[in-house]
Amino acid sequence: MENFTCDYVYIAVLILKLNFCLGCLSHSRKTQAGFIFSRCICLAYIFHMQKLFLINCTPSLVKAFVEMGFEVDQVYVQEGTLDLPAMLNARQFDPDLILQQESLGRRLFLNGLHKLNCVKIFWSIDTHMNFFWHRYYADLFDCLLTTQKKYIPELRKLCETRVEWLPWLGNLSGVGIAGGGIIPHSRREHDLSFVGRVSSHRRSRLWFVDFLKSHYNLNFEDNLNYQQMMELYRNTRIAPNEALFGEVNFRLFEAASCGCAVVTPDVGGGLGELFEIGKEIAVYNDVLELKDIIDRFEKDPSLSGSFGMAAYARVLKDHRPDSRAAVVRDIAQKTTVRSIPEERAELLLCMSEFLLSESGGYKVDWDHLLKRFLGLGRSEMRDVALLRIFARSGMSDLFMGIARPYLDKSLSSVDCYFNMSASLGALKLGLWEVAKHFWYSVHASSRPDTVVRPENEVHILKLWGDVSFKKGLRIRSGVAFNEVKDIPSCASDCFFAALHKDPSDKEIYRRLDSIFNGVKGGEPTRLGFLSHLSLHYPEDWRISAEVAVTSLKVFRLQEGLRELENAKELAYMAGQTRFFKRKIELEIPQFYKLVNWS
């Protein structure tokens, strides 16, 4: 392969020499020669990057790489830690590129990445659920790809590695199906279909399905394999979509690949770049908009067919597996292999395993993980993990062994997450003075007279909630916080812990409402806080209006409409009807059109 590289560079140099020797020294000729040289260098690099090692990659993507002419080796590995250099040595495979795709439900950590002198890429699929540990694991690689564009700015701020957008991919619906192909909407068997898991833990999806069942002839399935699901979509006109945390999800691409008219939440995050809104897909912000779109599609098969065929054409044009493989290839060619010290690599791997295990998403050998952490040199990252482990395990002496250098100020930190973990870890162990020390540490640069003094456990939890919210530690999507066992990691955790200790504090409900306001996927949780506040402030039209708007965003149609009428009446009695109308016009424009207010 090196001979190809040398040949192309040699030819490029000869072309340059020939141009200049012939006296072709005009600006245009120089530009042309430079272009030829750069193209030859690019070709040489393409020829050089030939061997790919793919880990847990979707089969259609693997096939696309093979059809592009790459030499591909692949593995599908179950949950655990994999010594990648040892595996490659055993397979006698020396790759130019390693691509690990996040496997959902089967968490695989790669060990030894820092020993490999090739481009290493991690494709984060559920970034919206796993951001909290992916930000560390990603730094073991040379590049992080994410399906969720909206997270790129934050990831680039927190990660040292390169971060790029690689959306999920579509798939041709007819593959592997006898007589497969796109079926005209006029001949499709089902008007509406939804495929997905529904449980009490996913209240918004439960209400979504209940709404569709009560208003339409919904074909609902929750236990299909992939091929069965795609066959169902091939025979469905309209595919309503729902997103748990405001993500661009699989269902969008799956339904579009089958020519369905997809009605999906307006989640932003590059959605309009993937499909043209209003032509290839339809979007909604609340149940009234969802109903309006489905009603129009249901009455007019030609309209749903137009959207479905346009979405299918877009998949063929931009979202096939070969399109994604080409993007990965292009990114890899521009990615520099990073040098990561062995201790840094071990720290990042330990931190990733710790955070996922702490959240309940991975089973780790805690004794072994502790030994690995303790075998590393002191650092803020190592120490915060140990403080959290020891505090949760009730190991006061070991906790103090890590905390003591920070207490005597031989070490210091002003990081919010570190000091909050140390403070609330100490609180869990009953070490009140230590808890206060770390509260003051985060304010080391502030004037002493401006720092609030914690009065009790609930107060310090609320203080940390306010500070972490201001620092951007708002919520951790995908993590269920246990107020009894867990140590808070973000603002919402702090206030949940405070509320557990003092359920009568109405101010905590207001803070939680503020935290979850505007968080896509947080509406069901927010509705609970608002409902509680409405019981205590029954004459406040603003709270009633928020209950109504939030209800409509989580598909509770009748409840939302009733609450809107209540809020309207309260606003009228308060002499603030115009403010109520302005709010509804901005947040629920479909309702504003329906009532035709003047």
Side-chain angles (χ1 to χ4, degrees), residues 260-262 274-282 306-308 310-311 313-314:
C260 298
V262 183
L274 297 170
F275 294 93
E276 185 177 342
I277 294 170
K279 179 181 179 181
E280 297 169 343
I281 59 171
S306 172
F307 273 75
R314 186 62 180 271

Side-chain angles (χ1 to χ4, degrees), residues 197-329:
R197 303 272 180 178
V198 174
S199 71
S200 58
H201 300 294
R202 296 176 171 180
R203 288 176 292 164
S204 184
R205 179 171 293 178
L206 180 65
W207 295 329
F208 172 76
V209 171
D210 286 346
F211 164 74
L212 293 174
K213 283 181 176 179
S214 63
H215 287 80
Y216 306 100
N217 184 24
L218 176 70
N219 181 35
F220 169 66
E221 298 287 350
D222 64 354
N223 193 29
L224 300 181
N225 62 35
Y226 182 79
Q227 204 63 55
Q228 290 170 332
M229 175 188 69
M230 296 301 278
E231 178 65 8
L232 173 63
Y233 282 143
R234 287 182 66 247
N235 282 282
T236 295
R237 289 177 49 219
I238 307 164
N241 190 18
E242 180 263 353
L244 290 175
F245 287 104
E247 74 280 4
V248 176
N249 58 22
F250 289 0
R251 196 177 295 106
L252 168 66
F253 290 96
E254 292 160 349
S257 295
C258 298
C260 298
V262 183
V263 188
T264 194
D266 189 3
V267 298
L271 178 62
E273 297 173 56
L274 297 170
F275 294 93
E276 185 177 342
I277 294 170
K279 179 181 179 181
E280 297 169 343
I281 59 171
V283 299
Y284 66 89
N285 287 287
D286 57 69
V287 69
L288 292 172
E289 292 182 358
L290 173 65
K291 186 175 187 305
D292 176 63
I293 295 166
I294 294 178
D295 286 349
R296 287 188 284 115
F297 279 168
E298 194 176 45
K299 291 174 184 176
D300 188 354
S302 66
L303 180 62
S304 66
S306 172
F307 273 75
M309 294 307 104
Y312 177 71
R314 186 62 180 271
V315 170
L316 291 179
K317 177 177 177 287
D318 292 333
H319 303 314
R320 287 162 48 128
D322 56 338
S323 299
R324 296 294 184 265
V327 172
V328 173
R329 176 202 62 199

Side-chain angles (χ1 to χ4, degrees), residues 125-138:
I125 304 299
D126 273 4
T127 316
H128 55 290
M129 299 281 282
N130 299 292
F131 177 93
F132 67 99
W133 68 272
H134 280 186
R135 55 168 290 199
Y136 294 100
Y137 188 61

Side-chain angles (χ1 to χ4, degrees), residues 351-486:
M351 193 67 179
S352 303
E353 292 182 52
F354 158 68
L355 287 169
L356 186 57
S357 300
E358 183 188 45
S359 72
Y362 181 70
K363 291 182 180 179
V364 72
D365 182 335
W366 286 104
D367 289 340
H368 181 58
L369 184 60
L370 271 175
K371 288 177 183 176
R372 289 167 60 196
F373 267 126
L374 292 169
L376 298 168
R378 291 203 79 139
S379 69
E380 198 172 272
M381 191 188 299
R382 184 205 80 143
D383 287 354
V384 74
L386 290 172
L387 287 168
R388 294 180 71 87
I389 292 171
F390 293 145
R392 187 172 178 177
S393 304
M395 300 176 177
S396 299
D397 291 343
L398 293 173
F399 178 93
M400 288 302 297
I402 301 298
R404 194 162 287 111
Y406 296 92
L407 297 175
D408 64 23
K409 299 188 178 179
S410 55
L411 291 175
S412 64
S413 171
V414 294
D415 179 73
C416 180
Y417 177 69
F418 177 88
N419 283 289
M420 177 174 64
S421 296
S423 175
L424 300 183
L427 187 70
K428 187 172 184 63
L429 294 170
L431 305 171
W432 176 244
E433 294 301 320
V434 176
K436 288 195 297 181
H437 172 90
F438 285 104
W439 163 252
Y440 292 126
S441 291
V442 84
H443 298 286
S445 60
S446 303
R447 284 172 38 204
D449 60 322
T450 63
V451 180
V452 179
R453 294 177 175 272
E455 298 172 2
N456 52 48
E457 290 187 0
V458 172
H459 188 216
I460 198 171
L461 284 164
K462 290 165 67 175
L463 291 174
W464 276 117
D466 287 336
V467 169
S468 56
F469 181 67
K470 290 175 184 175
K471 295 290 185 180
L473 303 176
R474 192 172 186 173
I475 65 171
R476 284 205 301 173
S477 298
V479 179
F481 178 71
N482 185 307
E483 296 90 341
V484 176
K485 297 191 303 182
D486 295 341

Side-chain angles (χ1 to χ4, degrees), residues 476-594:
R476 284 205 301 173
S477 298
V479 179
F481 178 71
N482 185 307
E483 296 90 341
V484 176
K485 297 191 303 182
D486 295 341
I487 298 166
S489 295
C490 58
S492 62
D493 291 354
C494 291
F495 286 114
F496 279 131
L499 189 63
H500 179 74
K501 292 179 179 293
D502 187 0
S504 64
D505 190 334
K506 293 187 288 293
E507 184 57 32
I508 296 176
Y509 285 95
R510 287 192 178 275
R511 303 286 180 85
L512 283 166
D513 171 53
S514 177
I515 288 169
F516 281 90
N517 186 13
V519 175
K520 291 187 182 296
E523 295 92 351
T525 304
R526 186 181 180 224
L527 185 59
F529 310 140
L530 287 168
S531 298
H532 183 87
L533 289 170
S534 69
L535 294 175
H536 290 278
Y537 305 99
E539 296 181 359
D540 190 328
W541 73 265
R542 293 177 182 84
I543 293 176
S544 179
E546 288 295 335
V547 171
V549 169
T550 306
S551 294
L552 293 174
K553 288 184 180 297
V554 295
F555 314 105
R556 291 167 64 84
L557 177 60
Q558 298 306 321
E559 294 88 344
L561 293 177
R562 282 197 299 269
E563 198 63 48
L564 271 179
E565 287 299 321
N566 182 57
K568 177 184 174 184
E569 193 67 30
L570 292 173
Y572 173 77
M573 289 189 292
Q576 297 190 335
T577 298
R578 65 189 180 97
F579 296 110
F580 169 75
K581 288 182 178 181
R582 185 182 304 167
K583 178 180 178 64
I584 301 308
E585 183 180 12
L586 289 172
E587 299 188 35
I588 309 290
Q590 187 64 30
F591 179 80
Y592 194 83
K593 293 176 190 174
L594 290 173

